[in-house]
Amino acid sequence: MALRLYDLAGANPERRFSPYCWRIRLALAHKELPIETIPWRFTDKEAIAPSGQGRVPVLVDGERWIADSWPLANYLEDAYADRPSLFGGLAGRPLSRFYSCLGDTLVAAIFPFVALDILDVLHEKDRDYFRKTREERVGTTLEAFTADREQRLPAFRASLAPLRVTLKDQPFVGGERPLYADYALFGSFQWCRCISDFQLLAPDDPIYAWRGRMLDLYDGRAGKAKGYPV
Amino acid sequence: MALRLYDLAGANPERRFSPYCWRIRLALAHKELPIETIPWRFTDKEAIAPSGQGRVPVLVDGERWIADSWPLANYLEDAYADRPSLFGGLAGRPLSRFYSCLGDTLVAAIFPFVALDILDVLHEKDRDYFRKTREERVGTTLEAFTADREQRLPAFRASLAPLRVTLKDQPFVGGERPLYADYALFGSFQWCRCISDFQLLAPDDPIYAWRGRMLDLYDGRAGKAKGYPV
């Protein structure tokens, strides 16, 4: 039986936009595991209750429910050890942990650019929940929170310097081929692309070129997903 | 014959404070290679001319002169492949590239806290050179550049979140044992500690605890070095 992945969706069930779910969708493709994705909305807490928490990604593998991207990546690596490694062996797993944390930081850094755009793509039933929880978190309206994004863009792009320099030397963070470290970072950019036409990356940025290579992987798994051509 | 490493020193030849040299000193210890370090000052360009450039680290291995920390780490990994791996095998090398870039970014981020303190520990012959080149680079006096460092400290510490979260889960970036990824980041903190009594890290920070483990490695190679007990 195919694995099932609860995958955050917008009003259009084809718009899948969780940065954390994208990490796992590409990790599953990397492991050559067929999956069935189930569109899930922020307020569908009951559907994933067996996972013991209220957020996606949630993977169902037979009787097992596993949540949260890093534990999930580790589960896939161990449960499907005979398939291509997500981490690159030996020290690859601990070395990848930091990339996972960095991906989280990247989500937080990108959120002030796209928070309001997310609202536009959400299912009607999620909008109040999203606005209320996020405005509480950021301490202002989503409109005010995102208003000066053009001015903040140069500093954001400059903050990506270590990734930029790395990707001048090698096609993927994992080297000649992508690894979980790539998926952990890419998920944040794919999230942005799925919900907003904001030009977060300049087209002449090596990170933009890397993102293009990521979009093409696995028969365009991420590139063909519903989003904006930015 | 022991390898020779040109190692940036202050007025006191025992004060060795290059973040990039520290990466290589620990990499050499990791590889269990005995070395002779040669105190070097910024203006000693002729001494390292055979390396084809004017900065340290410069390693002399028999007839070979190798410069720059990342090429040097790769040289050591390949030339001494039978010794403990610096990268952790397979994808460890490309995965470590980013840490090297991140270490460079960390140097740039720490510089505004310690730029003026460096001047105090420099050899007399280096002071004018250092002040002139650095003030040109930052566009103001070193005094003005560092004046508001206390106010900037919380934002700097917050920027270390991905490293902090990683080190809550594992003792080293490389996992149970340190790898080049650790040395690449640690060099920046050791640099700071060698030249300044400024409390860059809070003692209850997991990064501080990791730094302590790094200071203890290889019979306290970094911890016993001349610096400040911060």
Side-chain angles (χ1 to χ4, degrees):
Chain A
M1 197 176 79
L3 303 173
R4 285 183 294 141
L5 181 75
Y6 287 89
D7 194 19
L8 183 65
N12 182 334
E14 286 179 29
R15 191 184 305 278
R16 307 296 178 88
F17 65 95
S18 159
Y20 311 105
C21 290
W22 273 111
R23 297 179 190 178
I24 298 306
R25 288 186 65 174
L26 291 178
L28 286 159
H30 184 110
K31 285 283 187 189
E32 299 163 7
L33 291 165
I35 57 160
E36 175 197 346
T37 65
I38 303 164
W40 179 91
R41 275 82 184 206
F42 284 117
T43 47
D44 293 341
K45 302 296 187 194
E46 272 190 36
I48 59 168
S51 74
Q53 49 87 67
R55 297 193 298 183
V56 291
V58 166
L59 185 79
V60 188
D61 187 0
E63 301 291 303
R64 295 199 59 162
W65 290 67
I66 312 109
D68 198 356
S69 59
W70 179 246
L72 254 170
N74 281 273
Y75 170 79
L76 292 174
E77 184 74 348
D78 296 334
Y80 300 94
D82 56 331
R83 288 159 182 258
S85 171
L86 286 169
F87 300 130
L90 279 167
R93 188 185 305 235
L95 284 175
S96 298
R97 176 68 180 121
F98 179 79
Y99 289 98
S100 168
C101 297
L102 199 71
D104 299 349
T105 297
L106 206 47
V107 170
I110 294 173
F111 188 62
F113 293 96
V114 298
L116 190 59
D117 296 333
I118 297 174
L119 201 62
D120 289 337
V121 302
L122 287 185
H123 194 282
E124 182 62 41
K125 67 180 180 181
D126 275 0
R127 289 188 190 173
D128 287 349
Y129 166 85
F130 182 81
R131 184 183 277 278
K132 183 168 184 300
T133 55
R134 271 48 176 183
E135 291 190 345
E136 272 174 18
R137 190 188 296 169
V138 303
T140 182
T141 64
L142 295 181
E143 286 77 3
F145 187 56
T146 51
D148 63 341
R149 66 181 181 179
E150 289 292 348
Q151 293 94 294
R152 287 186 279 99
L153 188 57
F156 170 78
R157 289 179 175 176
S159 77
L160 302 175
L163 182 58
R164 185 170 295 121
V165 177
T166 300
L167 292 170
K168 280 181 187 166
D169 284 1
Q170 55 195 49
F172 297 101
V173 177
E176 291 301 314
R177 298 191 52 77
L179 290 176
Y180 191 74
D182 290 274
Y183 309 143
L185 301 179
F186 169 75
S188 307
F189 294 104
Q190 172 72 348
W191 166 56
C192 181
R193 188 179 162 278
C194 286
I195 44 145
S196 175
D197 62 358
F198 186 66
Q199 185 84 46
L200 193 69
L201 296 171
D204 62 351
D205 191 332
I207 301 172
Y208 185 92
W210 161 79
R211 200 197 60 159
R213 290 189 288 277
M214 297 298 292
L215 291 170
D216 289 343
L217 291 174
Y218 313 121
D219 195 28
R221 183 78 51 106
K224 290 176 186 168
K226 184 157 186 63
Y228 295 91
V230 287
Chain B
M1 196 178 82
L3 303 172
R4 285 182 295 141
L5 182 75
Y6 286 89
D7 194 20
L8 183 64
N12 182 332
E14 287 179 28
R15 190 183 305 278
R16 307 297 178 88
F17 65 96
S18 161
Y20 311 104
C21 290
W22 273 110
R23 296 179 191 179
I24 298 305
R25 287 187 65 175
L26 291 178
L28 287 158
H30 185 111
K31 286 282 187 191
E32 299 163 7
L33 291 165
I35 56 160
E36 176 196 345
T37 64
I38 303 163
W40 179 92
R41 274 82 183 205
F42 284 117
T43 47
D44 292 342
K45 302 296 187 195
E46 272 191 35
I48 59 168
S51 74
Q53 48 87 67
R55 297 193 299 183
V56 291
V58 165
L59 185 79
V60 188
D61 187 0
E63 301 291 302
R64 295 200 58 162
W65 289 67
I66 313 108
D68 200 355
S69 58
W70 180 246
L72 253 169
N74 281 273
Y75 171 78
L76 292 174
E77 184 75 347
D78 296 334
Y80 300 95
D82 56 332
R83 289 160 183 258
S85 170
L86 286 169
F87 300 130
L90 280 167
R93 188 186 305 234
L95 284 174
S96 297
R97 177 67 180 121
F98 179 79
Y99 289 98
S100 168
C101 298
L102 199 71
D104 298 350
T105 298
L106 206 46
V107 170
I110 295 173
F111 189 63
F113 294 96
V114 298
L116 191 59
D117 296 334
I118 297 174
L119 201 62
D120 289 337
V121 303
L122 287 185
H123 194 283
E124 181 63 41
K125 69 179 180 181
D126 274 0
R127 290 190 190 172
D128 288 349
Y129 166 85
F130 182 82
R131 183 184 277 278
K132 183 169 184 299
T133 54
R134 271 47 175 184
E135 291 190 345
E136 272 175 17
R137 191 187 297 170
V138 302
T140 182
T141 63
L142 296 181
E143 285 77 2
F145 187 56
T146 52
D148 62 342
R149 66 181 180 178
E150 288 292 348
Q151 293 95 292
R152 287 186 280 99
L153 188 57
F156 170 77
R157 289 178 175 176
S159 77
L160 302 175
L163 182 59
R164 185 170 296 120
V165 177
T166 300
L167 293 170
K168 280 181 187 165
D169 284 2
Q170 55 194 50
F172 296 101
V173 177
E176 292 301 314
R177 298 190 52 77
L179 290 175
Y180 190 74
D182 290 275
Y183 309 143
L185 301 179
F186 170 75
S188 306
F189 294 105
Q190 172 72 348
W191 166 56
C192 182
R193 188 179 162 277
C194 286
I195 44 145
S196 175
D197 63 358
F198 185 66
Q199 186 84 44
L200 194 69
L201 295 170
D204 63 351
D205 190 333
I207 301 172
Y208 184 93
W210 162 78
R211 200 196 60 160
R213 292 189 288 276
M214 297 297 293
L215 290 170
D216 289 343
L217 290 174
Y218 313 121
D219 195 29
R221 184 77 52 105
K224 289 176 187 169
K226 185 156 186 63
Y228 295 91
V230 286

